[in-house]
Amino acid sequence: MKLFVDCKKAGHLCDKGQYEDASFFEKLNVRFHNLICKHCSDYSERNAKLTKLLKDPKCRQMPEECKKRIREELERELAKEKAEQKP
């Protein structure tokens, strides 16, 4: 395995690390890449924040009934907008 990876591979390895599927060497590759690539470093930082937020016990999933209500409201609005566009 190469010591330095391209941005696409670094992003993939970063994602693997987020789900705790990356090996030690893969994590090391991401770290080395992030030293020289600001874009990927920012991506890794945002990924880490997201992971931390999702692991927070205060983070809860939206109830299904709420999702259904939002979906139905969106569908009504889209249908209304579509009907207004017809001549």
Side-chain angles (χ1 to χ4, degrees):
M1 188 176 258
K2 295 190 280 185
L3 185 59
F4 290 100
V5 294
D6 61 20
C7 291
K8 185 175 180 178
K9 180 75 173 175
H12 176 71
L13 294 177
C14 177
D15 292 342
K16 278 181 73 173
Q18 180 181 7
Y19 296 106
E20 299 175 4
D21 288 338
S23 69
F24 171 77
F25 193 70
E26 290 171 329
K27 291 176 187 176
L28 194 61
N29 275 341
V30 172
R31 291 222 175 192
F32 277 128
H33 183 85
N34 288 347
L35 288 173
I36 59 170
C37 182
K38 174 77 170 128
H39 175 74
C40 291
S41 178
D42 291 344
Y43 179 80
S44 292
E45 191 175 311
R46 287 190 308 271
N47 246 8
K49 285 180 184 177
L50 177 62
T51 300
K52 184 179 177 185
L53 286 171
L54 290 174
K55 288 183 178 180
D56 186 342
K58 291 184 251 175
C59 180
R60 296 181 305 155
Q61 189 175 20
M62 184 183 292
E64 286 300 319
E65 62 212 32
C66 188
K67 290 180 192 178
K68 183 179 177 185
R69 191 178 60 231
I70 291 170
R71 193 176 302 116
E72 289 170 353
E73 188 174 329
L74 283 170
E75 287 171 358
R76 275 194 308 273
E77 288 295 321
L78 288 171
K80 187 170 101 175
E81 191 174 295
K82 192 175 185 180
E84 290 173 356
Q85 290 178 354
K86 287 187 179 180

